[in-house]
Amino acid sequence: MKISSDLDLTDIRILANLQENSRLTVKELAAAIHLSPTPTFERVRRLEREGYIKKYVAVLDAEKINCGFMAFCYLKMKQHTHENAMRIMNSVQDIPEIAECYNISGDYDFQLKIYTRDMKSYQNFLLRILGDLDCIGSLKSSFVLGEVKNTHRLPLPDEK
């Protein structure tokens, strides 16, 4: 089964293994997919070059680095203009507390995933950071009580 005309079963197995552990050496990855190291290395480089693999990251423990308070904040623009949308999209790029930002449909225009130290820090964040964006008409916050699932894995066709 192919995802696209450019990916075969071996490529899918590479992607699945790297999603699970991006620190695999080429030798370990080659053994896992039953291919020799040189073609494995060449395939990984092709997948990177073609943009299937965007980057490699370390997933940190938010609690251990003292930013375990997570909130989802929904923003509504004051007025639906290109300038307001661009101002929000450009502003969130440089705000470290904002881990993710999505332009969404429905009652709100943007959904933000925000990490802070605690509720007081979140309040300060709202007042000092988001409060300075005069293009925001309203916002709503939801606070995470417990994490049920957190993954960066994308669904791939059965690679077995």
Side-chain angles (χ1 to χ4, degrees), residues 11-25:
D11 292 330
I12 292 167
R13 287 183 178 147
I14 289 171
L15 294 174
N17 277 274
L18 289 176
Q19 278 194 118
E20 188 62 35
N21 181 1
S22 66
R23 292 191 64 178
L24 289 173
T25 65

Side-chain angles (χ1 to χ4, degrees), residues 90-140:
N90 290 330
S91 295
V92 300
Q93 303 301 319
D94 298 323
I95 302 172
E97 293 88 350
I98 300 174
E100 299 173 26
C101 175
Y102 302 97
N103 185 208
I104 60 173
S105 64
D107 293 336
Y108 291 88
D109 302 307
F110 293 92
Q111 177 183 347
L112 310 177
K113 182 178 181 181
I114 300 167
Y115 288 95
T116 63
R117 185 176 56 250
D118 53 25
M119 178 65 86
K120 183 151 183 70
S121 299
Y122 183 72
Q123 180 185 25
N124 287 333
F125 170 81
L126 287 180
L127 296 173
R128 294 191 173 151
I129 306 295
L130 293 184
D132 284 346
L133 293 175
D134 61 2
C135 54
I136 297 174
S138 64
L139 59 84
K140 175 179 96 172

Side-chain angles (χ1 to χ4, degrees), residues 3-154:
I3 295 175
S4 75
S5 60
D6 297 332
L7 296 180
D8 62 14
L9 186 57
T10 302
D11 292 330
I12 292 167
R13 287 183 178 147
I14 289 171
L15 294 174
N17 277 274
L18 289 176
Q19 278 194 118
E20 188 62 35
N21 181 1
S22 66
R23 292 191 64 178
L24 289 173
T25 65
V26 171
K27 187 177 179 180
E28 292 168 331
L29 181 58
I33 65 168
H34 309 292
L35 194 64
S36 63
T38 300
T40 299
F41 177 79
E42 291 169 359
R43 281 175 176 261
V44 170
R45 290 297 170 253
R46 180 181 55 79
L47 291 167
E48 291 169 345
R49 190 174 53 252
E50 293 177 1
Y52 290 98
I53 300 171
K54 288 182 166 185
K55 63 181 174 178
Y56 300 91
V57 298
V59 179
L60 307 180
D61 185 319
E63 293 287 335
K64 289 186 178 185
I65 60 170
N66 204 22
C67 61
F69 184 82
M70 187 190 331
F72 288 95
C73 183
Y74 301 88
L75 303 179
K76 188 181 290 189
M77 292 184 286
K78 271 187 184 174
Q79 189 176 26
H80 286 91
T81 66
H82 178 73
E83 291 78 21
N84 282 345
M86 292 307 297
R87 181 150 183 234
I88 291 171
M89 289 188 281
N90 290 330
S91 295
V92 300
Q93 303 301 319
D94 298 323
I95 302 172
E97 293 88 350
I98 300 174
E100 299 173 26
C101 175
Y102 302 97
N103 185 208
I104 60 173
S105 64
D107 293 336
Y108 291 88
D109 302 307
F110 293 92
Q111 177 183 347
L112 310 177
K113 182 178 181 181
I114 300 167
Y115 288 95
T116 63
R117 185 176 56 250
D118 53 25
M119 178 65 86
K120 183 151 183 70
S121 299
Y122 183 72
Q123 180 185 25
N124 287 333
F125 170 81
L126 287 180
L127 296 173
R128 294 191 173 151
I129 306 295
L130 293 184
D132 284 346
L133 293 175
D134 61 2
C135 54
I136 297 174
S138 64
L139 59 84
K140 175 179 96 172
S141 297
S142 298
F143 306 108
V144 174
L145 302 176
E147 188 173 278
V148 177
K149 181 179 180 180
N150 182 348
T151 182
H152 290 91
R153 286 186 64 100
L154 295 177

